[in-house]
Each structure stands twice: as structure tokens, then as C-alpha cells.
Amino acid sequence: MSTNVLSFDNPLFGKFAFSSGVVLGKTLLMSALTVRSRLTNKVFANPEDTAKFGGVEPTVSDQRVERIRRCHQNDIENVFSFVLVGSFYLVTDPDPWFATLLFRTFVLSRCLHTVCYLAPLPQPSRFVTCLTGWGVTALMTVAVIRAGSF
């Protein structure tokens, strides 16, 4: 195993960093989309926002805003686990082909999950895409646990 596993000298780390960057960037984009939807629809959760930007009453029940916000929340629940566990996974000296497959599968599943959520597409499309990404993180978690010792 290379002594610089968590370095761009390691091609697998580069693939992981790219994959992490894409899904973290997508997560940031979801936050911006929530703000845009709130401003466009004049739907705010806090009285000071309503006073400053307009709107009738503070609310957290507007379905246009809440759909984007729930998609963002799902990213937060899944993407950060992937990035953290994936960092540990790299240290287990995984098979590069399989690790690359996992990273790409996760990115694709999260991007498709967003499309399924925001379109919205009928279930079980969103469930399958979310479960796929979760499964990738679960596989990496098992590898990390197996490589570690107590």
C-alpha cells in the first residue's frame, strides 16, 4: 500500500476526491435551489425573512420549497457519510477497479435521486436510487470495519 494513500499521488484518491467533489457540489447546489425557490415564490420560514423579502406569513408547508429542501436534507444524510466512510475505505487498500465502480455508482445514484425527487418521478425510482447510494456506503463501511480491529 502506498504511504500517500490520501494524496493526489494516489490515482484512486483522485477518483474519490473527484466523486466527493461532485456530490458535495450537488449538495451545495441544493441549498442554493432552496433559496431561489423561497425568493421566487416568496415563501419563507422565518418572520424576519418575510418582513425583508415579502410574502404573506412564515410557513414551512409550501410544497414547491419543501420538495427541494427534502432532497437537500437527503443529500446531507447520505453524501457526508459517503465522504467520511470513503476516506477510511481508501486506507483499506481496496481493489482499484471495484473502488472506482463504487465511487461512480454513488455519484450516479445521487444525481439520479435528485432528478427523481425534483421531477418528480413515480416511486420506486427515488427509493431505488437512494438505496443504491446507501448500499455503496454500506459496502465501504463493512470493508472499513473488517479492516479495523478492536
Side-chain angles (χ1 to χ4, degrees):
M1 180 177 5
S2 169
T3 57
N4 296 319
V5 172
L6 299 178
S7 160
F8 282 101
D9 292 335
N10 175 1
L12 190 54
F13 176 79
K15 292 175 183 177
F16 173 70
F18 177 82
S19 298
S20 295
V22 169
V23 292
L24 287 167
K26 191 189 84 56
T27 301
L28 289 171
L29 178 62
M30 295 309 301
S31 180
L33 284 175
T34 301
V35 170
R36 179 178 167 251
S37 183
R38 285 191 184 285
L39 290 170
T40 301
N41 297 302
K42 297 201 177 298
V43 175
F44 305 100
N46 302 302
E48 64 273 17
D49 299 335
T50 302
K52 175 70 177 174
F53 301 110
V56 183
E57 292 280 326
T59 182
V60 292
S61 61
D62 185 89
Q63 288 306 307
R64 297 164 296 190
V65 172
E66 290 304 306
R67 180 167 286 278
I68 298 167
R69 201 180 64 71
R70 286 190 307 270
C71 185
H72 181 225
Q73 180 64 39
N74 192 276
D75 274 348
I76 292 168
E77 293 166 0
N78 289 277
V79 168
F80 293 103
S81 298
F82 168 80
V83 172
L84 183 60
V85 170
S87 298
F88 295 135
Y89 177 68
L90 286 173
V91 181
T92 69
D93 196 26
D95 173 69
W97 179 87
F98 187 68
T100 300
L101 177 66
L102 290 177
F103 303 157
R104 289 177 179 165
T105 299
F106 186 84
V107 170
L108 181 61
S109 73
R110 292 313 303 172
C111 291
L112 289 174
H113 177 267
T114 299
V115 170
C116 292
Y117 217 130
L118 298 184
L121 298 179
Q123 285 287 29
S125 58
R126 192 177 78 238
F127 173 75
V128 170
T129 58
C130 188
L131 185 62
T132 301
W134 182 90
V136 165
T137 305
L139 282 171
M140 292 189 308
T141 300
V142 169
V144 167
I145 291 169
R146 289 182 64 177
S149 61
F150 213 86

